[in-house]
Amino acid sequence: MNNRRILIIDDDADLSMIITDMLESKGFFVSCAQNSEEAFNILGEASFELILLDINLPDNSGFEVCKQLREVSNVPVIFASARTSETDRITGFDIGGDDYLPKPYSMKELLSRINALLRRSYGSTDKERIVTFGEVSVNITSRTVTRKGKAVNLSLREFDLLAYLCEHKNEAISKNKLINEVWGAFSTVEPSTLTVHIRWLREKLEQDPASPVYIKTVWGVGYILEAKDEK
């Protein structure tokens, strides 16, 4: 299981269902939107590792969706479209697209393109990604957490936040960056929501939540996971 999350933005519901079935069988989590409005609503609620984007949408252009997305996020985007002219392909890359897959395409080729782009963007998914600090071990690949050898139950959002901090350990991350990456590029959640989730993580992972040793506040910036000399 790779646990990567993919958003399909395409008004062809039947095709989206076929792609979803294939990707879920490979361990991906998949969400679908049939127009840009629905897509932005989904992006306001969750973050994704990759977006498969059609150009011809009923309420907008996929190019315009990509432009808006690039203002706040670097999430990998694969354009998938029946529009195969050189001009369209160049436009897709110029506005921030990472790959361009002409329709019709085989599921095998789509999966290959997705895996290749994910490897380029995030590194190989074959090796388990584990981060440890103190008595805590975070397996990002299997989405499990242990403290003193015992399982720690986290909500989906708590784990997403912890995983992001782990993948950027020893790096001060702004509150806005954390909200964009964990809650979604178009999220409208307040900074107080992030503060509450940080408090919950400290209560579950720190020896003394009031004086955290690992998940620290960086005043005027945001938060940092300090895991020096750890994996």
Side-chain angles (χ1 to χ4, degrees):
M1 290 290 182
N2 54 60
N3 296 313
R4 297 292 193 187
R5 287 171 295 188
I6 295 178
L7 174 61
I8 301 171
I9 309 175
D10 196 315
D11 62 344
D12 187 334
D14 291 336
L15 176 60
S16 293
M17 184 177 299
I18 293 171
I19 297 172
T20 297
D21 288 343
M22 182 273 291
L23 292 176
E24 289 183 342
S25 73
K26 302 299 182 180
F28 293 96
F29 295 119
V30 184
S31 296
C32 298
Q34 294 188 355
N35 54 60
S36 64
E37 181 180 4
E38 186 179 359
F40 289 133
N41 287 336
I42 293 173
L43 287 166
E45 295 296 327
S47 59
F48 295 86
E49 278 74 38
L50 185 143
I51 294 177
L52 184 64
L53 176 60
D54 190 14
I55 295 175
N56 294 322
L57 299 173
D59 62 340
N60 209 340
S61 162
F63 291 146
E64 185 60 34
V65 172
C66 187
K67 285 181 184 178
Q68 294 182 48
L69 188 62
R70 281 294 171 258
E71 293 177 1
V72 293
S73 175
N74 291 319
V75 61
V77 172
I78 297 178
F79 281 109
S81 177
R83 291 169 55 171
T84 58
S85 72
E86 183 181 31
T87 299
D88 283 329
R89 293 170 68 90
I90 291 174
T91 298
F93 286 118
D94 283 347
I95 63 174
D98 298 279
D99 200 353
Y100 199 109
L101 185 60
K103 292 181 178 179
Y105 50 79
S106 69
M107 292 298 103
K108 185 175 181 180
E109 180 179 10
L110 174 61
L111 180 61
S112 178
R113 296 284 190 100
I114 288 174
N115 284 331
L117 182 52
L118 288 174
R119 283 194 300 271
R120 293 202 303 270
S121 302
Y122 305 103
S124 174
T125 59
D126 295 334
K127 184 179 179 181
E128 279 193 322
R129 293 176 296 155
I130 300 175
V131 175
T132 63
F133 50 96
E135 301 167 323
V136 178
S137 178
V138 182
N139 189 319
I140 298 173
T141 306
S142 65
R143 295 180 66 86
T144 56
V145 181
T146 60
R147 180 169 180 246
K148 297 181 179 179
K150 296 182 179 180
V152 178
N153 292 321
L154 300 181
S155 69
L156 290 175
R157 197 73 73 185
E158 286 170 352
F159 184 87
D160 288 344
L161 175 57
L162 178 60
Y164 191 83
L165 288 170
C166 284
E167 292 183 322
H168 299 81
K169 63 184 180 180
N170 303 317
E171 175 185 342
I173 307 171
S174 71
K175 293 181 179 180
N176 285 339
K177 178 71 171 177
L178 283 169
I179 290 173
N180 285 343
E181 295 295 337
V182 176
W183 275 265
F186 296 88
S187 174
T188 57
V189 304
E190 298 294 329
S192 59
T193 300
L194 171 61
T195 302
V196 169
H197 280 73
I198 289 289
R199 188 181 77 235
W200 289 341
L201 283 178
R202 287 170 172 165
E203 290 174 352
K204 294 179 179 182
L205 303 177
E206 296 275 2
Q207 182 70 31
D208 181 3
S211 300
V213 175
Y214 301 108
I215 304 174
K216 294 185 176 181
T217 299
V218 181
W219 299 110
V221 181
Y223 300 98
I224 185 172
L225 173 68
E226 289 193 351
K228 292 181 173 60
D229 301 320
E230 305 282 0
K231 290 182 181 180

